Amino acid sequence: MSKNRFNDGPGPSNRQLRVGELIRRTLSDVLNRGDIHDPELNRMSITVSEVRATPDLKIATVYCLPLGGGNRPEAIAALKRNKHELRRALGKEMTLKYTPDLRFVIDETFDRMDETRELFARDEVRRDIEDDAPDGDGE
């Protein structure tokens, strides 16, 4: 029987995490400096929140969000359109054997956090949470 039978397998390796963070910082710098020759992309302020690399480091999924959360389809389209130039910029600044292929995805984390806050703010949920709270009298 496998040790990891109840989860999806081991998490990312330290190397994947280090490379992902290096790509995240480098991409953020490239986008902030406006190094890409696309005026539409340079007009946008895009936050790169996370990068997940595959075990072989050949593909990097970039989780990003335009500032304010608006214009999501336009931001992803601009990033995809400039994927090759972004990869080239990464290759110049990083010392990896292979520059990974970039996949751009909208980061939904902030939306989920807002939904969770709204859920906890509901009267019936707050009432249930308060009913489940320990009284402090040892019972």
Side-chain angles (χ1 to χ4, degrees):
M1 214 184 301
S2 171
K3 290 182 194 176
N4 295 323
R5 66 187 176 121
F6 293 112
N7 60 15
D8 294 335
S13 68
N14 283 336
R15 185 169 183 231
Q16 285 174 269
L17 294 172
R18 281 194 322 265
V19 168
E21 181 60 19
L22 179 62
I23 293 170
R24 187 195 69 76
R25 276 190 261 140
T26 306
L27 263 181
S28 291
D29 290 345
V30 166
L31 291 170
N32 284 335
R33 287 192 309 254
D35 290 350
I36 305 305
H37 297 71
D38 183 345
E40 185 181 337
L41 182 61
N42 290 333
R43 272 195 304 272
M44 297 179 193
S45 182
I46 297 175
T47 301
V48 180
S49 55
E50 183 181 5
V51 176
R52 294 183 189 167
T54 56
D56 62 0
L57 306 178
K58 300 269 183 170
I59 299 172
T61 303
V62 179
Y63 292 87
C64 54
L65 189 67
L67 188 64
N71 301 327
R72 292 174 183 201
E74 293 86 358
I76 293 295
L79 289 166
K80 286 180 179 179
R81 189 174 53 246
N82 292 287
K83 177 170 77 167
H84 299 295
E85 195 171 349
L86 288 166
R87 257 185 100 199
R88 193 170 19 257
L90 280 179
K92 285 180 185 176
E93 295 194 28
M94 294 176 30
T95 56
L96 292 174
K97 188 172 183 178
Y98 299 103
T99 304
D101 186 31
L102 301 174
R103 311 271 168 91
F104 297 99
V105 178
I106 290 294
D107 186 0
E108 304 285 342
T109 305
F110 299 108
D111 293 337
R112 281 193 235 117
M113 285 178 9
D114 288 341
E115 290 169 5
T116 303
R117 273 192 216 105
E118 289 173 14
L119 180 69
F120 282 126
R122 290 184 185 168
D123 289 335
E124 62 271 13
V125 174
R126 284 191 12 237
R127 190 173 45 247
D128 289 346
I129 291 172
E130 289 168 4
D131 288 346
D132 289 343
D135 295 332
D137 59 1
E139 290 181 32

